Amino acid sequence: MKQLLFLLLAMCTPSIAFASGAVQQTIDLTNHWIGYTAIAIFVVSYSLVILEEQLHLRKSKPVLLAAGLIWILIAAFYGSQGMPHAAEVAIRHNFLEYAELFFFLLVAMTYINAMLERNVFDALRDWLVMKGFSYKSLFWLTGILAFFISPIADNLTTALIMCAVVLAVGKTEPKFVAISCINIVVGANAGGAFSPFGDITTLMVWQKGIVQFQEFFALFIPSVVNFVIPAFIMQFAIPKGNPTAESNEMTPIKIGGLTIVALFILTIVTAVSFHNFLHLPPVFGMMTGLAYLKFFGYYLRKKGHATIDKSDMPTSNKIKDDFDIFDKIAKAEWDTLFFFYGVILAVGGLGFMGYLGMVSEFMYGELGATNANILVGILSAIVDNIPVMFAVLTMQPEMDHTQWLLVTLTAGVGGSLLSIGSAAGVALMGQARGYYTFFAHLKWAPVISLGYFASIYVHLLIN
């Protein structure tokens, strides 16, 4: 009777279902044709992701299909073995992890879009352009700002903003644009490594509860080393002289812009407080913070500082100066969000088949934790760091706290080794097309590698 009651509860409650699934027998499919087929599906889909720029095929499409096909194979096989609910229990666990990440990022993206609409970032760009800095000063300023803004606004958004500054002043100096973009990518990735909000990988580690919020700041000095060493060497290739500003007009920040910045910081504080003091997932704090923005949007409309379409379709309005929060949500990076879904579910499926356990045994058993974590960073320069970090978190290798901080660092900054290794690099190749290219970045890879290994050494020395 007790067993029957537990089974009924497990069917109704996903978290209990997963707990019951933990004692179910899983079947090793690493040497089965289904496992080989799943690996082939994942490799083909990820090859299409890498060729996104050449094929003009959104990266979410192949991984969404791959995730579906992999779990179809798993479910069909387990059903044939008389274990029809095993796949359901496992996929619910993976989907819950994605759901937390999805809503967290959705709130952050909504705030960033609101700041963009209020001209916060345009005003920063124009201020830098009009100050009359030299090329070398702008090289350092954009890099340093990328380093310090990315822990709050994420590395992708930060890189795009700083690249806009570089393009605005350096169109006549292609060499300046190329080297500055490399510096921005390195700075944004390094800055994102010491904050849960700076990169998807750090966010995943924080939400998993492996590293506490304040513990990320132990990576600050290694992150500085990772940024400063390549920047110091690259500065000698920056051309001399001062750029000429094309316009003397500065974009004004719309009313409420700076308040939204403050509300975003308050939202981050709320998310951290939910996690540290209430022991609730940070995503619930972020969703509470979304309410702050929604009420402030209502206030702006009532005071006449923004207009909103009053139809029943909140995202259908065409008003130029519009502050509809649903419109900001609609403009989130949906391709990126669906890409994360495909990656997490596909990698989760491969893990359920036994591949991640096999890889973990080799990397962390044979190579040792330090070498394995350094390799994780190098792999993240070739394959996006998100599936690499999710794989490590799924493997859950036995490591001390220093090693978990190390893999957080290497996965965050390792993507700087190649232009395709991070979202920031890929985005800037599109934004600064013709200036910042794969081979322009590759030329400086040895210098960036110097910063990469120096940051690892400093981390192991001080932490």
Side-chain angles (χ1 to χ4, degrees):
M1 186 66 186
K2 284 181 180 177
Q3 288 178 334
L4 180 63
L5 182 62
F6 182 79
L7 241 134
L8 287 169
L9 283 169
M11 290 169 66
C12 299
T13 314
S15 58
I16 296 177
F18 178 66
S20 67
V23 296
Q24 285 186 355
Q25 183 184 359
T26 56
I27 302 168
D28 186 351
L29 297 175
T30 54
N31 293 312
H32 194 281
W33 71 265
I34 285 180
Y36 297 143
T37 305
I39 287 287
I41 290 169
F42 184 77
V43 168
V44 170
S45 70
Y46 217 85
S47 298
L48 295 174
V49 170
I50 293 170
L51 296 171
E52 178 187 14
E53 288 295 314
Q54 288 74 28
L55 298 175
H56 302 291
L57 177 72
R58 295 286 185 125
K59 61 181 176 289
S60 61
K61 296 177 182 180
V63 291
L64 280 171
L65 181 60
L69 293 175
I70 288 169
W71 280 100
I72 286 170
L73 290 171
I74 293 170
F77 176 80
Y78 272 83
S80 70
Q81 301 298 309
M83 302 166 68
H85 297 294
E88 179 192 355
V89 171
I91 202 171
R92 279 185 186 277
H93 173 62
N94 282 278
F95 188 77
L96 179 62
E97 291 203 21
Y98 168 71
E100 286 191 26
L101 183 66
F102 171 84
F103 284 105
F104 194 105
L105 290 172
L106 189 64
V107 174
M109 289 175 176
T110 303
Y111 263 101
I112 296 299
N113 286 336
M115 289 182 222
L116 284 166
E117 191 275 339
R118 294 282 106 179
N119 295 337
V120 172
F121 298 123
D122 287 343
L124 174 62
R125 179 200 63 201
D126 293 346
W127 180 82
L128 287 169
V129 170
M130 290 170 59
K131 278 294 177 180
F133 295 114
S134 67
Y135 284 117
K136 186 171 285 189
S137 297
L138 281 168
F139 168 83
W140 277 106
L141 269 172
T142 51
I144 291 169
L145 284 170
F147 182 85
F148 283 105
I149 294 175
S150 63
I152 301 171
D154 87 68
N155 52 6
L156 173 60
T157 304
T158 304
L160 290 171
I161 296 162
M162 292 301 106
C163 184
V165 175
V166 167
L167 286 172
V169 299
K171 288 180 181 178
T172 57
E173 285 286 353
K175 192 175 181 181
F176 163 75
V177 174
I179 298 174
S180 293
C181 284
I182 297 166
N183 190 46
I184 288 166
V185 169
V186 174
N189 288 339
F194 70 88
S195 163
F197 299 88
D199 198 304
I200 306 302
T201 54
T202 54
L203 178 59
M204 289 194 293
V205 172
W206 182 45
Q207 291 205 137
K208 198 83 170 176
I210 293 170
V211 179
Q212 298 304 311
F213 182 82
Q214 67 278 7
E215 293 172 335
F216 281 94
F217 296 106
L219 295 174
F220 176 75
I221 294 175
S223 297
V224 169
V225 170
N226 182 270
F227 162 62
V228 169
I229 288 178
F232 178 77
I233 298 170
M234 287 191 292
Q235 71 169 332
F236 296 107
I238 296 293
K240 294 179 181 179
N242 290 41
T244 305
E246 293 182 3
S247 172
N248 291 323
E249 293 183 8
M250 184 168 168
T251 304
I253 298 177
K254 293 180 184 178
I255 292 172
L258 295 178
T259 305
I260 291 170
V261 174
L263 288 176
F264 185 43
I265 294 169
L266 180 61
T267 297
I268 291 171
V269 171
T270 304
V272 174
S273 299
F274 267 53
H275 184 68
N276 287 355
F277 305 121
L278 301 177
H279 307 291
L280 293 171
V283 63
F284 293 107
M286 291 297 284
M287 292 301 289
T288 303
L290 182 61
Y292 307 158
L293 185 61
K294 281 178 165 290
F295 275 101
F296 187 64
Y298 176 79
Y299 166 80
L300 287 176
R301 180 168 68 89
K302 285 296 183 183
K303 290 293 183 180
H305 300 313
T307 37
I308 301 178
D309 185 5
K310 296 177 183 176
S311 74
D312 291 329
M313 299 292 289
T315 60
S316 66
N317 62 67
K318 304 295 182 185
I319 299 170
K320 186 178 179 182
D321 185 19
D322 130 57
F323 199 78
D324 185 350
I325 301 304
F326 289 106
D327 191 52
K328 302 294 165 282
I329 293 172
K331 290 174 182 174
E333 286 285 335
W334 288 99
D335 181 53
T336 301
L337 291 170
F338 286 130
F339 170 73
F340 294 153
Y341 168 85
V343 164
I344 288 173
L345 269 292
V347 172
L350 296 176
F352 189 63
M353 289 180 174
Y355 283 109
L356 296 186
M358 188 171 69
V359 171
S360 177
E361 189 178 334
F362 168 71
M363 284 181 64
Y364 289 94
E366 300 293 326
L367 300 178
T370 301
N371 291 329
N373 290 333
I374 292 171
L375 182 60
V376 163
I378 295 169
L379 285 173
S380 71
I382 304 165
V383 181
D384 193 271
N385 58 0
I386 293 151
V388 173
M389 179 54 91
F390 183 72
V392 173
L393 291 172
T394 307
M395 289 186 253
Q396 281 285 335
E398 287 292 328
M399 295 193 294
D400 61 29
H401 201 64
T402 300
Q403 291 296 336
W404 275 112
L405 282 171
L406 176 61
V407 75
T408 303
L409 174 70
T410 56
V413 303
S416 301
L417 295 169
L418 295 175
S419 62
I420 59 169
S422 66
V426 172
L428 262 57
M429 282 196 294
Q431 189 180 16
R433 194 182 301 276
Y435 296 95
Y436 173 62
T437 63
F438 176 83
F439 290 104
H441 192 110
L442 186 65
K443 178 183 173 183
W444 292 98
V447 172
I448 299 167
S449 301
L450 191 64
Y452 176 71
F453 287 105
S455 65
I456 292 169
Y457 175 76
V458 170
H459 165 66
L460 294 175
L461 190 66
I462 66 173
N463 291 325

